[in-house]
Amino acid sequence: MSAMLIRGYVTKKNGKKINFFIPLIIIYVLLLPFYVISLVVYLFFIIFSNEFNDIKAYLKIFLNLPVIFNSMKNLIIIINNDEEDIKILVKLGFL
Amino acid sequence: MSEEKKKILEMLSDGKINVEEASQLLDAALKKEKDSINLGEAKFLYVNIEPKDTVEGKKIGKVFVKVPFPLIKAGFNIAGLIPKEAQDQINDGLKNQGMNFDFSDLSPENVKNLMDALELLSVEVDNADSLIKVYCK
């Protein structure tokens, strides 16, 4: 199952806290039309054209992006500097 | 040297086994040793930077990154899909920075070997400012 949520925790030096989450389903839904178009274009290039190898390669990379989303789950990035503490988690859900 | 290997060598020196048998036993011992360190069990690559200086009792500049192995693998696989012209430009750029790396070497077999090798990676750099650790667990 793909990662579904990016959670961010930012703690400023003055004690101010910003917690946010980005449901990745929004990104998936936004990307969906582009995937459908890319898939059609990719198939068109495969069937009707032996040229445009570069375009085919870039389309292939774009079509492989879900693999990145799928493998992103459990990624943790914690950075602390003199201004703020930043914590970013990629999770399957809220728990 | 493990106890098992010592035992095999002792048996060889005592003449209880011949060279060929010792070699077979050593291979088996090596395989067992590799299995015991759980090759293929590493799940995450950790990058940890611990600064040594503290400001008001707090360490500033701390970095902790936990990267899932499948993400690294997916990254390598996607990097292998980069078109030839772009790969050449990246290779040239890397060469200019002193890194002799060829993107065309990123075949699925090489990626697998790289991932296997990465599981045993452990780098620790201790300098005046910070302690940097890169390891897999």
Side-chain angles (χ1 to χ4, degrees):
Chain A
M1 192 179 177
S2 293
M4 296 308 283
L5 193 74
I6 294 179
R7 294 208 74 163
Y9 305 87
V10 181
T11 309
K12 299 247 178 191
K13 203 182 175 186
N14 57 14
K16 201 176 171 185
K17 286 183 181 176
I18 304 165
N19 294 347
F20 64 90
F21 64 89
I22 304 166
L24 287 171
I25 188 87
I26 296 171
I27 293 166
Y28 298 150
V29 170
L30 284 171
L31 283 175
L32 195 64
F34 294 103
Y35 272 98
V36 174
I37 295 165
S38 307
L39 200 64
V40 172
V41 173
Y42 186 66
L43 289 175
F44 174 81
F45 277 131
I46 285 178
I47 296 166
F48 297 107
S49 172
N50 288 325
E51 293 173 17
F52 307 109
N53 284 330
D54 275 9
I55 299 171
K56 271 194 264 185
Y58 285 118
L59 280 173
K60 212 171 169 185
I61 291 174
F62 181 68
L63 291 169
N64 270 287
L65 279 184
V67 180
I68 294 274
F69 285 118
N70 187 39
S71 47
M72 249 171 60
K73 54 189 178 246
N74 297 324
L75 174 73
I76 298 176
I77 299 170
I78 300 171
I79 298 165
N80 153 268
N81 59 34
D82 51 355
E83 291 290 317
E84 59 219 352
D85 295 345
I86 302 164
K87 188 174 174 185
I88 295 166
L89 313 171
V90 182
K91 299 165 116 184
L92 274 175
F94 280 93
L95 294 174
Chain B
M1 194 188 286
S2 70
E3 280 301 312
E4 209 166 2
K5 282 182 191 169
K6 274 184 192 169
K7 216 172 177 179
I8 295 164
L9 293 173
E10 275 171 16
M11 283 162 75
L12 179 67
S13 64
D14 293 347
K16 289 178 185 171
I17 53 172
N18 61 32
V19 176
E20 200 176 316
E21 285 168 335
S23 168
Q24 282 172 0
L25 285 171
L26 280 172
D27 284 346
L30 191 70
K31 193 177 177 295
K32 201 175 163 188
E33 209 171 83
K34 273 186 181 173
D35 289 344
S36 72
I37 53 174
N38 286 327
L39 272 175
E41 284 295 310
K43 295 276 185 251
F44 296 95
L45 172 78
Y46 293 82
V47 179
N48 198 358
I49 303 173
E50 284 279 343
K52 287 182 178 167
D53 296 335
T54 55
V55 178
E56 296 164 8
K58 205 177 166 192
K59 286 181 177 175
I60 301 295
K62 198 173 161 185
V63 176
F64 174 82
V65 183
K66 183 180 169 189
V67 187
F69 254 49
L71 183 60
I72 302 169
K73 198 175 176 185
F76 278 131
N77 286 333
I78 286 186
L81 297 175
I82 295 172
K84 184 84 180 69
E85 289 77 13
Q87 278 187 8
D88 290 344
Q89 284 184 21
I90 298 168
N91 290 341
D92 289 344
L94 286 172
K95 245 177 217 161
N96 289 340
Q97 296 294 319
M99 284 176 272
N100 199 6
F101 183 80
D102 194 346
F103 263 80
S104 57
D105 290 341
L106 283 176
S107 65
E109 195 188 328
N110 284 348
V111 169
K112 194 190 170 296
N113 290 339
L114 193 64
M115 295 305 293
D116 286 347
L118 204 60
E119 285 172 24
L120 299 171
L121 173 82
S122 178
V123 180
E124 202 170 315
V125 181
D126 191 0
N127 61 31
D129 301 323
S130 56
L131 177 67
I132 303 162
K133 282 184 192 171
V134 181
Y135 57 95
C136 296
K137 209 158 80 176

